Amino acid sequence: AQSVTQLDSHVSVSEGTPVLLRCNYSSSYSPSLFWYVQHPNKGLQLLLKYTSAATLVKGINGFEAEFKKSETSFHLTKPSAHMSDAAEYFCVVSDRGDTNAGKSTFGDGTTLTVKP
Amino acid sequence: DGGITQSPKYLFRKEGQNVTLSCEQNLNHDAMYWYRQDPGQGLRLIYYSQIVNDFQKGDIAEGYSVSREKKESFPLTVTSAQKNPTAFYLCASSAGRVAQYFGPGTRLTVL
C-alpha cells in the first residue's frame, strides 16, 4: 500500500525568497517519487523524479527535492521564488515493487502563491 | 514535437447524454491513463491501459468506459450513468512504470 501527504494546502512566499513544499509518503516497497506542477487549466508538467539514484534530485526551473528515507519525506525546494512559480504542485508516489503501471498515488496538492 | 493531445479543451453536455473525450499520444508509450480532477483535490484514476486491447479499472471507473484499439489512442466515454461528471479530465501516458506525461486536459461541464 502507498500513500502521500502534502502537509500544506497553501504556501505563500515573496518573490526572491526560498520555497519549501512539504511531502511525506508511505510505501510498502522502494518508492519512486515525483513532483508535478500544474498551472491553471493546464495539464501536469513533471518537475523532477526520484527512482533510487542520488537522493538529491535536481529538476527544471531551479527546483530540487531530497529523498529522506528515515523521515519518509520528499520535500520540494527552490532558493528564490519567481512570479511564474505560482501554481499548484503535486507530490506523487509509485511503489517500484508494484508491477501495476496504474498504481501511482497523488497528493491533494499545494497551491503556491508568490507575492511581488 | 512529441506529446499528448486532448480534445476538445472545453466540452458541454446535457444530462443524459454520453460524451467521448479524445486522447492521442505520439510518444510511443505503451501505458495510458485517464484521471479526473475536482477543485482543490488531487487526481483520481479512472481507467488505465498497459497495452493495446487491454485496460483496467482505476479507483473511480463507475459511469465511464474506455477502449484501446490503437497504441496511440485512448478515448474516454463519460456515460449518463456517471452521476457527477462535471470535472477536469486529464490523460497521461508512460513508458512502463516511469513518470507519466500529461495532456493539457478537457474541462467537461454538464448543463
Side-chain angles (χ1 to χ4, degrees):
Chain A
Q2 60 191 26
S3 67
V4 60
T5 302
Q6 292 184 241
L7 298 169
D8 306 292
S9 58
H10 292 87
V11 170
S12 180
V13 301
S14 296
E15 190 175 21
T17 64
V19 176
L20 170 64
L21 305 183
R22 298 182 295 164
C23 173
N24 286 355
Y25 71 91
S26 67
S27 172
S28 301
Y29 302 95
S30 298
S32 292
L33 292 155
F34 311 87
W35 275 99
Y36 288 86
V37 61
Q38 183 182 32
H39 289 91
N41 295 310
K42 302 288 187 183
L44 277 67
Q45 180 185 17
L46 179 67
L47 279 176
L48 49 80
K49 61 183 178 182
Y50 166 78
T51 56
S52 84
T55 56
L56 181 62
V57 182
K58 293 187 184 299
I60 62 171
N61 301 335
F63 285 94
E64 64 181 36
E66 186 172 7
F67 173 69
K68 292 187 176 180
K69 187 175 181 178
S70 61
E71 299 177 10
T72 61
S73 69
F74 191 58
H75 301 334
L76 181 71
T77 60
K78 183 173 180 178
S80 177
H82 191 272
M83 294 298 290
S84 61
D85 295 327
E88 186 87 8
Y89 291 80
F90 292 96
C91 182
V92 181
V93 63
S94 177
D95 274 337
R96 280 185 280 126
D98 187 341
T99 58
N100 191 327
K103 291 300 182 181
S104 291
T105 300
F106 285 75
D108 287 339
T110 297
T111 301
L112 176 64
T113 301
V114 182
K115 297 175 290 185
Chain B
D1 288 339
I4 302 174
T5 57
Q6 290 185 244
S7 61
K9 186 173 182 178
Y10 298 97
L11 184 59
F12 298 89
R13 189 194 92 174
K14 293 181 180 179
E15 285 193 24
Q17 286 183 334
N18 294 353
V19 290
T20 297
L21 283 59
S22 169
C23 177
E24 303 279 332
Q25 56 102 355
N26 60 5
L27 299 167
N28 201 34
H29 286 169
D30 287 318
M32 296 187 74
Y33 314 79
W34 274 106
Y35 292 91
R36 171 184 172 133
Q37 185 179 30
D38 294 285
Q41 298 186 32
L43 278 65
R44 291 183 289 169
L45 182 65
I46 304 172
Y47 268 98
Y48 62 99
S49 168
Q50 294 178 265
I51 196 168
V52 174
N53 293 321
D54 186 52
F55 49 83
Q56 287 81 40
K57 292 181 179 180
D59 300 319
I60 55 166
E62 185 176 353
Y64 300 97
S65 65
V66 294
S67 62
R68 186 84 187 279
E69 297 177 0
K70 298 185 296 182
K71 186 175 185 178
E72 59 270 23
S73 179
F74 191 41
L76 172 75
T77 297
V78 184
T79 75
S80 57
Q82 170 50 235
K83 298 304 180 187
N84 185 22
T86 294
F88 191 49
Y89 290 87
L90 287 160
C91 178
S93 71
S94 69
R97 296 188 61 256
V98 296
Q100 298 173 336
Y101 293 87
F102 285 81
T106 292
R107 184 164 298 281
L108 172 63
T109 303
V110 174
L111 304 173

